[in-house]
Structures are given as structure tokens and as C-alpha cells.
Amino acid sequence: MTSISSSAATARATFLPSSCRAAPAGGSRRSRLLVARASSSSPKLPAGRRLRVAVVGGGPAGGAAAEALAKGGVETVLIERKMDNCKPCGGAIPLCMVSEFDLPLDLVDRRVTKMKMISPSNVAVDIGRTLAPHEYIGMVRREVLDDYLRNRAQKAGAEVLNGLFLRYEEPKERNGTYTVHYNHYDSSNGKVGGEKRSFEVDAIVGADGANSRVAKDMGAGDYEYAIAFQERVKIPDDKMRYYEERAEMYVGDDVSPDFYGWVFPKCDHVAVGTGTVTHKADIKKFQAATRLRAKDKIEGGKIIRVEAHPIPEHPRPKRVSGRVTLVGDAAGYVTKCSGEGIYFAAKSGRMCAEAIVAGSANGTRLVDESDLRKYLAEFDRLYWPTYKVLDILQKVFYRSNAAREAFVEMCADDYVQRMTFDSYLYKRVVPGNPIEDIKLAVNTIGSLVRATALRGEMKKLTL
């Protein structure tokens, strides 16, 4: 067995290098250092040894988890396969994430205050009229955000390794350690395929995305997934000005039978993309249709990058096994209808880490499955209603072009916009106005009735 550290003379080197030792507690009032007491039944670790955790995956979930673990006194190693990974992601983050995760403002490429929703018949509705002057949807590039969160975790005391996770071995005894096997990438050694190494930890956090190898090892089960396809397009400056504070969403069978197409602004280009669960083989056809719908506004643009990636459609059947658990896309935390995942990835990573820190009494005791299940219970309590509501919305309004016309019509209502943005920007359930709720219900029913009638007429035309 090869240790991460080159010095295997001491028992400590068998596990993690000394540089993995958590940094001393401190920092700003937002550092979220969690000081907690573990159950007296949790085995206390030997004097001088801290709880050791491997975080597999360096996206928002992994970066947030590794930082919180290191700040909480846990020895942490984060393994990331591709440090410059550009995931095909719209890159939208809610306003609350900027403050909650202390993100510097220069990390946000664009502050979107105008969202244009465009129906199958190209009826456009401007969304954003109810936003306060300080409110916006942040647009980020994943390669920039992910790198920032990993670097911050490293500064907090986590060891960040460039490597490909291969598999893990279960403990040979009840309170024993897991063995993590991975390919270590080091450009200086000249080995193209990497060098096989291994190390031992007390717990594993799988933050390695929709194709999670950790999930496969723990028998987490399969889930339905969408394919997201995105092109980054460099457009002329005069056209880029249109997208300075604006994003667009296109709905219709042409761009996706069960999702939407998008044009989201980045620092000096736009991201044009779409996704689908049911018709994956046709993804390039849907992408061409999205470009066609946005043609006048991106004409003259040059494609500078093409990206594709799976996106989970629902949580995995199993998200914890022993002292191994899943967060982010690996766990399936992407909402339907909107396809949002960045905030929930970072939030789940942090919540999982905080549960480990609390259960281990700041790294001094061993954790068990019950500690990890506390994170799952709290995450589900906070966000299950959001996932359920968006699942219902997708089933109701994405089922036909007529229903999508009704959806866009409904989005023109100021009350709908205010409730939607308040819920999205701050990730909280917003109490409604009973009278307005009744009006909304009546208008929604009216829109759906008109949609059903329109669908019937459209069917007649095709017979």
C-alpha cells in the first residue's frame, strides 16, 4: 500500500500527510466553525490523532465540505480528477449563496436582473420587475467557482490532491479504517496514466458528480438523469451588451421535450444550451433549435467550447452506508423544472461536514452512520418541499407546447414573479397572500384550460 506521504516511517504517515492537519480555528464571524459535543457512546480517538475524512470530488459540494471539515478540526483530503474542469452548467446561483458562502463579488460574471421567458410560439415575458435594486441572480463559470472553493478549503487546512478516485475498501473491523485507492497525477513524474496510491481514512464523502464512483462502490442505486449540452459562444460586443444583465429561457418541443433551452451571460461570452431526460439521442438537434431560436441575438458568434454532462433527476435510493455518504450531484440534488444544482451541492456538502464535525466533537471521536443520517434528515426537511413542488410543475407545464404557453403566460403575473424570486433568491418558503393565492389559482386553471383547448385545436390541424 502506497501512502500519500513519502515518509512511511511513522504511523501517522500511513494515513495522511502532516499538511492535512486542520488549521487552527479562527477567522471572521462567518467562518462557521462548528464546536459541538458528540455522543458519549462514540469511540474517542487516541491522543494526538484526529478524525480523518476523504472528500472525493472538487466541485461546489466537495469544496464546501472540505472547507467545513478542516475548519472543524477534522483532517481532510480532497481528491479532484480535473482541476480545470468546465462543467456544462448554466452557472446561475441565488443571491443568498453569495453571502452565505462568503463569495467575493468579482467571482460573479454577471448580475442578471432581467430574465426573458420565451414560449413555443415566441411570446416573450420579461421576468424581474419585482426585484429590489440590490437583488439579482448571479452568473458564474464553474471552473472559476470550483477552483475558488477548493483553494479556500486548502487554506483552511485540507490537503487537495490531483487524482482519480478508483475504489474504496470496507473496514476489516467495526471501528477500522476505509482504504481509498486512487491514481495520483503529477506532471513531474512523467507517468501519463498516473501513479496508483492508497491511504486510510475514517469516513468518505462522495462529491464526485452524477457518475459517482463512490456511489457505485457503496451500492447507492441508479437514478434517471438528463443530458445537458452547452456551447460557449463569443458574440460581438454590441450583441453582448444585450446580455449584460439579461438571461433567456426558451421552452418548446423544438428545444427540449421535457426541459428548456437557455442563453446565460458569462464574463465575455454567452452559454447556449439545453437538456433532456427522455430523448438523449436527439440532444444535438435540440441544441441546434436553441441556437436557431436565439439566432438574431447571437448572430456572428463563434463557438469557443462545447460541453456535455449528465445531470441527476432525483435523489439516489441510498445516500449513506456506514461511514460513507453522498452529497451534491452524486446524491442527486438537482431540482426538476429549473435544473438548479450549484447551491444545493454546496449546501449539502457543508451540512454533511457540519454533521461530521458535530458527531466527532471537532475531530476527537469516531463518527458512525447515525451522524451522517442527521445530515440527510435535515437536508430533506429543509428542501424536500422545493424538490416536490418543482417536480409537479415540470409534470404539469412541460408536458406539451400548449401547457408551456400557459406556463409562460402565468409567469407574466407580478405576484408569481415576486413569490418565485423570493423563494429562489433566499431559498426559503415564502408565505403567500391568501387573496392573491386564490387569484393565482383561478388564473392558473384558466391558463391550463386555454392550453388544453389550444392543444385540441393543434391536434385537429395535424390530423
Side-chain angles (χ1 to χ4, degrees):
M1 181 177 69
T2 305
S3 169
I4 292 179
S5 172
S6 59
S7 173
T10 65
R12 185 175 186 80
T14 305
F15 300 130
L16 304 180
S18 59
S19 57
C20 291
R21 192 170 301 169
S28 70
R29 63 183 178 85
R30 291 182 175 180
S31 64
R32 296 182 63 90
L33 175 64
L34 183 62
V35 179
R37 293 182 179 178
S39 168
S40 58
S41 62
S42 300
K44 194 166 184 179
L45 294 168
R49 167 147 124 64
R50 313 294 292 185
L51 186 77
R52 297 178 285 265
V53 176
V55 178
V56 182
E67 180 188 22
L69 286 167
K71 284 183 175 179
V74 175
E75 292 182 11
T76 309
V77 168
L78 185 154
I79 306 173
E80 170 55 35
R81 173 182 61 88
K82 196 174 181 182
M83 295 297 185
D84 60 349
N85 186 43
C86 302
K87 183 179 176 181
C89 170
I93 61 172
L95 182 61
C96 67
M97 185 173 179
V98 177
S99 56
E100 189 175 339
F101 288 85
D102 297 319
L103 301 179
L105 293 180
D106 60 3
L107 207 70
V108 179
D109 286 338
R110 299 285 176 179
R111 302 183 189 186
V112 170
T113 58
K114 303 167 187 174
M115 179 74 78
K116 192 176 285 290
M117 178 75 74
I118 303 165
S119 79
S121 62
N122 282 326
V123 172
V125 168
D126 289 317
I127 303 174
R129 297 189 301 269
T130 63
L131 288 175
H134 70 283
E135 293 179 327
Y136 62 88
I137 298 171
M139 291 291 168
V140 299
R141 284 166 290 161
R142 279 292 302 273
E143 64 271 26
V144 176
L145 174 65
D146 295 2
D147 182 64
Y148 174 79
L149 293 175
R150 285 194 301 268
N151 287 337
R152 201 163 69 177
Q154 190 170 37
K155 289 177 182 177
E159 179 83 355
V160 177
L161 299 176
N162 184 196
L164 172 65
F165 171 84
L166 299 174
R167 61 187 178 88
Y168 70 80
E169 292 180 29
E170 295 277 353
K172 293 180 173 57
E173 54 189 36
R174 183 182 176 188
N175 294 326
T177 55
Y178 292 84
T179 302
V180 173
H181 299 276
Y182 76 107
N183 269 355
H184 183 82
Y185 298 135
D186 183 354
S187 58
S188 64
N189 62 21
K191 294 186 178 180
V192 178
E195 179 184 354
K196 283 186 169 54
R197 297 188 183 184
S198 60
F199 60 96
E200 295 179 11
V201 292
D202 299 303
I204 299 171
V205 177
D208 48 339
N211 292 324
S212 172
R213 293 192 177 195
V214 175
K216 182 178 179 181
D217 266 12
M218 67 181 278
D222 295 327
Y223 49 24
E224 188 62 82
Y225 65 93
I227 287 293
F229 189 96
Q230 177 173 276
E231 296 166 329
R232 301 201 189 196
V233 183
K234 179 80 172 176
I235 59 177
D237 291 343
D238 61 325
K239 293 186 180 294
M240 194 66 208
R241 281 192 288 273
Y242 171 80
Y243 288 108
E244 281 183 356
E245 297 178 343
R246 180 181 282 107
E248 293 181 324
M249 294 173 63
Y250 295 84
V251 292
D253 283 333
D254 57 335
V255 298
S256 175
D258 54 346
F259 205 57
Y260 62 87
W262 65 84
V263 181
F264 287 170
K266 305 298 179 182
C267 60
D268 60 353
H269 62 277
V270 294
V272 182
T274 185
T276 180
V277 176
T278 59
H279 292 67
K280 298 180 181 70
D282 295 325
I283 189 67
K284 289 188 177 180
K285 181 181 74 173
F286 300 140
Q287 178 68 9
T290 303
R291 285 200 309 269
L292 183 62
R293 294 274 293 274
K295 179 181 177 182
D296 292 344
K297 286 161 282 188
I298 63 172
E299 195 169 14
K302 178 183 178 183
I303 297 174
I304 56 177
R305 185 189 289 270
V306 179
E307 305 156 340
H309 199 77
I311 298 176
E313 277 289 289
H314 57 79
R316 287 189 187 270
K318 185 164 129 184
R319 290 172 284 164
V320 63
S321 177
R323 285 174 272 136
V324 181
T325 191
L326 304 174
V327 294
D329 281 16
Y333 297 148
V334 176
T335 61
K336 288 193 175 182
C337 194
S338 66
E340 182 189 4
I342 296 178
Y343 174 81
F344 294 112
K347 186 68 173 180
S348 64
R350 175 178 279 180
M351 289 177 68
C352 175
E354 289 176 343
I356 292 172
V357 171
S360 68
N362 296 99
T364 61
R365 292 181 177 272
L366 190 66
V367 293
D368 59 27
E369 185 171 313
S370 66
D371 296 304
L372 301 178
R373 288 198 176 278
K374 290 175 184 175
Y375 131 68
L376 293 182
E378 182 64 8
F379 186 89
D380 290 348
R381 183 188 71 80
L382 288 173
Y383 302 117
W384 184 87
T386 297
Y387 283 82
K388 192 63 180 176
V389 167
L390 290 173
D391 184 21
I392 293 171
L393 282 176
Q394 180 166 314
K395 289 176 179 175
V396 172
F397 289 108
Y398 283 17
R399 58 194 170 92
S400 69
N401 274 352
R404 294 182 188 100
E405 294 286 351
F407 179 60
V408 173
E409 178 184 325
M410 188 177 71
C411 288
D413 185 88
D414 281 354
Y415 180 65
V416 171
Q417 291 192 23
R418 185 167 64 252
M419 294 291 287
T420 300
F421 272 110
D422 284 353
S423 298
Y424 173 79
L425 293 177
Y426 303 107
K427 290 294 173 281
R428 65 190 181 204
V429 178
V430 181
N433 180 304
I435 296 177
E436 292 295 333
D437 284 342
I438 293 172
K439 290 180 181 178
L440 175 60
V442 171
N443 290 339
T444 301
I445 292 171
S447 294
L448 288 172
V449 169
R450 287 191 293 276
T452 302
L454 178 60
R455 187 179 186 182
E457 292 302 316
M458 290 173 70
K459 281 185 177 180
K460 291 178 184 178
L461 292 174
T462 58
L463 293 177

